[in-house]
Every structure is written in C-alpha cells, then in structure tokens.
Amino acid sequence: MRVEIWSDIACPWCYVGKARFEKALAAFPHRDEVEVVHRSFELDPGRAKGDVQPVLAMLTKKYGMSEAQAQAGEENLGTQAAAEGLAYRTRDRDHGNTFDMHRLLHLAKEQGRQDELIGLLYRANFAEERTVFDDDERLVELAVAAGLDADAARGVLADPSAYADDVRADEREAAELGANGVPFFVLDRKYGVSGAQPAEVFTQALTQAWGERPPVRLIQQGSADAETCGPDGCAVPQQ
C-alpha cells in the first residue's frame, strides 16, 4: 500500500501531522508493506527566495491578527508539538520560500533518503536557531546529514530548473485531488485524510484502506498445475 503525503516545510501542522501519522504507522501490523512518499506543496509559492521575515510578522500581515494573537498561536503549536515528542521554538523563527527544499527532496527521493531529509528539514526549521531560508550551505549540510552527496545537493541548488518540473507536477496533482491545504494524506489513491489528525484517525484510515485493497486476480496461461514452491517445499520434476 502506498501513502502519499503532500506537505510543506514551512507548515507547522505538517511537522506535527507527520509525527502523528508515524505513530499510527509504527503500530500498524502491515507497516513493512506500506510505502510512504512525500509530495511537494508550497504554502507561499509567490515569495522570492531572498524574502525572509519573522514568523510573527508574516502571521500578522497574512491573517490580520495582532502580534499577541500570533504569539498565542505559536505557543499552542509548541504545546501540540511537545505532546508528540517534538521540539518547537515558539519565538524568533523565520519564514521564507521553500521551493529549493522541495527540489532537494526530489533528489533525496531518487536516492531513497526522502524521509530522512524531510525530517531533518522540519527539525531545522521548527526547533533550531540557524535559518533554513536563503542559506544554501545550510541546506547542503542537512542533505549530507540525510545521506546525500554534497556536490549533488549543491548542483541542484545551483540549477533552478533541477527538479522544478517535479515540484510543479506534485502541486498540480494536489490541486486535481482537491487539496487546498496541508498536510494532506492519500492512501492508495482511494482515501484522503486532511490535516494533522490524531494518531487514532490515521490508524483507522490505514486499517480501512488495507482491508479494501482489491484481491489479486490470477491469469491462467499454460498449464493450470505448473510447478510452484510452497511451505512444504518445491515440486520435484518427474522423469
């Protein structure tokens, strides 16, 4: 079974939602047969790469709230994150363009290191002091920590077209699926779960999606009693 997760590194609920989903997946009996793929979604796609500002300033401008309201929201997110065992800096974080991070995640996907990189990017953005925005060397360091080659990561960051089409394709697909916010989880292209739901909701979704997988239909070509191997051993050809 495949689970696709549309998310953005700048999204705090994606950070929390990933932890809740992973808690459900860890307890799922068929977890080793579940493939998880991270898909790109930008919350602020029109923001220029060098346009970095404090989170509180972004929130007050975008949502028309007071600074006190914005800070209260951050404190609540910190509490929610802590409940999932996640570190979260409720003050002095910044906000910026995430397009380069998504491009690196597509490189990581090719190398089988996507989950490692997205986890490091989330932690760097939400729990650590050094910014991940407009700092290519910081992104290279995180890519290397995830198991990627430093030169390969630098090559992607130096070429704005590298994996750009992959990011845009993910975003178009999200729109086609009706996702207008993240996190957005799609199970076997049959069920969707929107938001950072409690782990119990993800458990229910995994169980339902697994139980409704279509059975394999055998196509008989040639002899119906062709040799096979089973728990009792393999058929021995007779002369």
Side-chain angles (χ1 to χ4, degrees):
M1 184 168 71
R2 170 181 282 198
V3 178
E4 296 163 278
I5 307 173
W6 272 265
S7 59
D8 191 14
I9 302 304
C11 165
W13 289 118
C14 296
Y15 180 46
V16 173
K18 181 176 185 292
R20 291 175 177 172
F21 170 76
E22 288 175 345
K23 183 182 294 183
L25 183 61
F28 186 56
H30 308 286
R31 59 186 176 274
D32 292 337
E33 298 174 73
V34 177
E35 176 191 14
V36 178
V37 179
H38 297 282
R39 302 290 192 190
S40 301
F41 191 106
E42 294 173 275
L43 291 174
D44 204 352
R47 182 179 289 269
K49 179 175 179 176
D51 184 6
V52 181
Q53 67 179 144
V55 165
L56 291 188
M58 179 275 292
L59 292 173
T60 56
K61 181 178 180 180
K62 186 172 184 177
Y63 299 107
M65 60 177 65
S66 68
E67 185 169 319
Q69 289 173 319
Q71 184 59 54
E74 284 294 286
E75 297 293 342
N76 175 57
L77 279 163
T79 300
Q80 298 278 348
E84 305 303 329
L86 301 173
Y88 190 97
R89 295 177 64 235
T90 59
R91 297 180 182 275
D92 302 320
R93 287 195 305 106
D94 55 11
H95 176 79
N97 179 282
T98 57
F99 188 57
D100 283 351
M101 296 181 223
H102 286 294
R103 296 194 302 115
L104 281 176
L105 283 166
H106 277 279
L107 169 67
K109 180 184 175 184
E110 289 185 348
Q111 304 296 322
R113 311 299 295 177
Q114 194 184 39
D115 195 65
E116 289 81 0
L117 180 56
I118 199 168
L120 288 168
L121 288 169
Y122 276 138
R123 180 173 179 82
N125 183 39
F126 291 109
E128 299 174 3
E129 289 189 26
R130 186 176 171 187
T131 185
V132 293
F133 302 106
D134 198 24
D135 185 349
D136 285 358
E137 279 307 301
R138 176 60 169 150
L139 295 183
V140 170
E141 289 174 9
L142 293 170
V144 170
L148 301 180
D149 178 74
D151 289 339
R154 287 193 183 95
V156 169
L157 295 171
D159 178 5
S161 68
Y163 299 100
D165 289 345
D166 299 271
V167 175
R168 298 307 181 209
D170 278 357
E171 293 174 337
R172 285 194 301 271
E173 201 163 15
E176 291 166 2
L177 290 170
N180 53 18
V182 286
F184 187 69
F185 302 76
V186 177
L187 292 77
D188 261 358
R189 289 299 171 109
K190 191 172 183 180
Y191 295 102
V193 178
S194 180
Q197 300 287 348
E200 294 78 12
V201 173
F202 290 120
T203 297
Q204 180 182 356
L206 286 166
T207 301
Q208 185 171 347
W210 182 268
E212 296 185 12
R213 292 176 307 139
V216 174
R217 298 179 62 185
L218 292 177
I219 299 176
Q220 292 288 1
Q221 293 181 343
S223 174
D225 57 354
E227 294 82 359
T228 61
C229 292
D232 297 325
C234 298
V236 178
Q238 301 297 315
Q239 292 291 340

